[in-house]
Amino acid sequence: MLHMQNIGKLYQTEMVQTQALREFNLTVEEGEFIAVTGPSGSGKTTFLNIAGLLEPYSSGQYTLDGIDIGKLNDNQRSDLRNQKIGFIFQGFNLIPDLDLFENIEVPLRYRGIKAKERKKRVEQCLEQVGLAGRARHLPQQLSGGQQQRVAIARALAGEPRFLLADEPTGNLDSLMARQVMTLLEELNQSGTTIVMVTHDQELARRTPRNIQIVDGQVADFTLYQGGHAAR
Ligand code: ADP
Ligand code: ADP
């Protein structure tokens, strides 16, 4: 479970001060699939980066599976992130010189997993995203949708309990976007908790719970049941 209570985030540069999040409150239960929408600059990426332990917050309390993040040192935070969290980004963030196998292997090397086990897991993940047999292709030899599936495989390799996705379909045409969404739904059904930032209202409506962020706060949430909004 992910629990944020009165989270504030202040960005301070020489000239400007930006309150990116203010009194931000959110609980995400185990097994949920949540879509996060909101205007540009409203704090969606900031929220996701804090949730994923990539960025510190300025105030409030954040607990992940009961662990108070504010009490951890840098190493403990990195370990927790590697253990529990997978990321997917709009730009895929694959390493262009590495083939698919090597890209997916990166987080496993980082976690000190042995070669034989790495091979097994990479092959499983490629299979899971429908790209078995493409292990030795380079990212540039794939379509955008396929590259995003590789990025999802890489995120899955570490068997994360939480998958955080920042505009995962932002660079894809609508058919590929729907395919990636279907894959995320399958992952969610097999137990991964997913938080997805998106501008795509159609995809957002496919998830059971939507939250909207406006001016650094959760402005509204909607529960969809069988396609009908219930507030
Ligand atoms: P969104 O993802 O909803 O577009 P962001 O979380 O990226 O919004 O940004 C929220 C606000 O914080 C914006 O005003 C943005 O300019 C500001 N911001 C984001 N990152 C930084 C940073 N590294 N330094 C200073 N300001 C930032
Ligand atoms: P990595 O292990 O990938 O280098 P770290 O966890 O060490 O990343 O974070 C990099 C920097 O960002 C550290 O200096 C740390 O202080 C800061 N930081 C990252 N996440 C948080 C967080 N949740 N709370 C406080 N500081 C953070």
Side-chain angles (χ1 to χ4, degrees):
M1 190 181 89
L2 182 161
H3 184 60
M4 289 188 178
Q5 198 170 12
N6 284 326
I7 290 292
K9 172 68 180 180
L10 190 67
Y11 285 111
Q12 184 102 45
T13 57
E14 248 173 73
M15 303 297 290
V16 277
Q17 208 174 306
T18 308
Q19 188 78 44
L21 297 180
R22 67 188 81 213
E23 293 166 45
F24 189 96
N25 294 298
L26 183 69
T27 299
V28 179
E29 303 286 353
E30 189 79 48
E32 279 201 276
F33 189 166
I34 297 184
V36 179
T37 60
S40 178
S42 60
K44 302 181 296 296
T45 295
T46 301
F47 152 65
L48 217 57
N49 288 343
I50 290 174
L53 314 181
L54 290 174
E55 241 187 89
Y57 45 94
S58 316
S59 58
Q61 196 183 43
Y62 174 27
T63 56
L64 186 65
D65 288 341
I67 299 164
D68 185 346
I69 302 306
K71 295 210 165 85
L72 303 182
N73 65 32
D74 288 356
N75 284 338
Q76 291 170 321
R77 223 167 24 240
S78 292
D79 288 349
L80 192 65
R81 184 174 58 231
N82 290 330
Q83 214 181 7
K84 291 191 189 268
I85 297 171
F87 290 96
I88 315 171
F89 305 93
Q90 176 172 358
F92 320 136
N93 293 14
L94 298 173
I95 301 167
D97 301 336
L98 300 184
D99 67 28
L100 307 193
F101 187 98
E102 292 161 334
N103 263 285
I104 297 169
E105 204 180 16
V106 168
L108 298 176
R109 283 178 179 274
Y110 202 67
R111 294 175 71 181
I113 291 166
K114 298 253 172 2
K116 202 173 150 199
E117 174 69 17
R118 288 204 302 268
K119 184 165 187 292
K120 201 175 108 201
R121 279 215 221 162
V122 170
E123 280 166 1
Q124 266 172 6
C125 291
L126 273 171
E127 170 99 44
Q128 207 175 348
V129 301
L131 289 170
R134 307 293 290 263
R136 295 305 168 191
H137 287 227
L138 291 172
Q140 72 206 26
Q141 295 174 306
L142 303 181
S143 71
Q146 289 170 330
Q147 288 186 47
Q148 190 58 297
R149 275 147 56 196
V150 176
I152 293 172
R154 180 183 54 190
L156 293 179
E159 302 180 326
R161 300 249 316 285
F162 297 91
L163 191 57
L164 305 180
D166 199 350
E167 296 277 2
T169 63
N171 280 343
L172 305 179
D173 68 31
S174 66
L175 177 64
M176 285 186 190
R178 277 180 272 136
Q179 287 171 351
V180 164
M181 184 66 184
T182 300
L183 177 59
L184 294 178
E185 286 167 342
E186 286 166 9
L187 296 176
N188 176 246
Q189 271 146 28
S190 58
T192 311
T193 304
I194 304 180
V195 180
M196 174 182 74
V197 168
T198 185
H199 276 114
D200 187 328
Q201 292 297 336
E202 188 194 319
L203 294 188
R205 275 194 294 272
R206 281 170 60 167
T207 73
R209 184 175 167 209
N210 288 7
I211 67 164
Q212 202 190 2
I213 299 181
V214 177
D215 288 337
Q217 281 189 315
V218 178
D220 187 24
F221 72 89
T222 310
L223 291 175
Y224 288 99
Q225 284 156 347
H228 298 288
R231 268 167 213 252

